[in-house]
Amino acid sequence: MTMSRLISTAIALVLALLPSLASAENSSAIVHETARPIKSGDGRVASFWWLPQEYWEQVARELAIPAEEQEKVRVAFRDYLLVAALESKLDAAQKPTYASIAEIVDRAAFYRNGKKLEVLREVNPEVARLTASLVYLLRASLSGLGEGLRVLPLANVDSKGNPILAGAAPGELRLEYRFDDSGPVHPVMWRAPFTAIAGTTKCPKGGEELEASWAYCPWHGVKLGERP
């Protein structure tokens, strides 16, 4: 088995073990829905997760951190978009090596609702402190690959200080990633709301349960939120 296939299989197995969206309203369901894996032609594999505000609040509840700490998560994390990233490759000894946060930042271009964003160098100290502990669940779910997980902070406030994107409201985050300066762009897209957060919607004509971010029923062509 090639190095590329080995590491691709490892990430695929991790994702397959996570609960399905329909069966669990928990942090694992959000991770499953927001996972975006990509791979290069030389054996490198990368995965990205947009972990919205609701994810961090859910993790805080699952870890049963003190109420005052949960309130800090609710308030402080609204100012940021946090994207977890992992780029890895197996070396000659079949051990994974990981891209640094600086390397990943250099290769990534983020766009929030079409507007380009820069990865922040500094964040609220409370956010940095809490992220380091709350990311434990995602890191643990990745088993041995978890040590290569990086968290990239992006700004998420408008001119009035209000949050722009959330997992339960319409909006989009786009990533363009290059493994090398001269390599092809790998586009990655997240469209909210996420079903794991907002729940399913229903076709007003046929009653089928549909993903929260869908604008139209794919079977009836009916615009969701409007009567046929």
Side-chain angles (χ1 to χ4, degrees):
M1 182 178 290
T2 66
M3 290 193 294
S4 175
R5 183 168 297 179
L6 279 169
I7 203 160
S8 296
T9 301
I11 289 181
L13 286 173
V14 167
L15 296 178
L17 290 172
L18 296 175
S20 70
L21 303 185
S23 64
E25 293 182 359
N26 55 32
S27 63
S28 292
I30 299 172
V31 166
H32 184 102
E33 186 172 358
T34 63
R36 301 291 186 271
I38 58 176
K39 61 182 180 179
S40 70
D42 64 355
R44 284 178 289 177
V45 175
S47 285
F48 297 89
W49 299 262
W50 169 24
L51 302 175
Q53 167 77 18
E54 295 90 342
Y55 169 81
W56 301 101
E57 292 183 21
Q58 179 62 31
V59 169
R61 289 190 291 269
E62 290 175 15
L63 293 178
I65 68 175
E68 60 271 21
E69 295 285 83
Q70 292 192 37
E71 179 64 13
K72 290 177 182 178
V73 172
R74 188 187 70 81
V75 174
F77 278 60
R78 296 193 314 160
D79 293 347
Y80 304 96
L81 298 174
L82 298 174
V83 176
L86 170 64
E87 184 193 311
S88 55
K89 182 178 181 180
L90 295 179
D91 63 18
Q94 301 299 297
K95 294 182 178 180
T97 59
Y98 304 106
S100 67
I101 190 168
E103 289 171 326
I104 293 174
V105 169
D106 187 56
R107 299 166 186 170
F110 289 96
Y111 300 84
R112 183 194 60 217
N113 292 336
K115 180 180 180 181
K116 188 171 183 180
L117 299 176
E118 299 297 331
V119 177
L120 300 173
R121 294 180 177 273
E122 296 182 356
V123 297
N124 181 322
E126 291 286 18
V127 172
R129 177 180 67 84
L130 287 164
T131 299
S133 58
L134 295 178
V135 79
Y136 163 79
L137 288 185
L138 176 55
R139 181 169 281 121
S141 75
L142 294 169
S143 188
L145 295 175
E147 66 179 278
L149 194 69
R150 321 299 183 194
V151 180
L152 314 180
L154 309 166
N156 191 42
V157 290
D158 62 19
S159 59
K160 296 181 180 179
N162 298 315
I164 298 172
L165 290 184
E172 66 178 44
L173 180 65
R174 180 165 58 93
L175 162 65
E176 294 179 355
Y177 195 73
R178 293 178 183 269
F179 286 95
D180 296 290
D181 290 342
S182 59
V185 172
H186 297 268
V188 173
M189 178 69 76
W190 293 272
R191 289 188 174 89
F194 296 120
T195 302
I197 295 171
T200 58
T201 187
K202 286 189 176 182
C203 172
K205 184 173 182 179
E208 295 90 348
E209 288 195 349
L210 306 173
E211 298 295 320
S213 63
W214 290 0
Y216 290 86
C217 172
W219 294 282
H220 300 102
V222 178
K223 187 172 183 179
L224 303 183
E226 295 183 358
R227 299 186 66 85

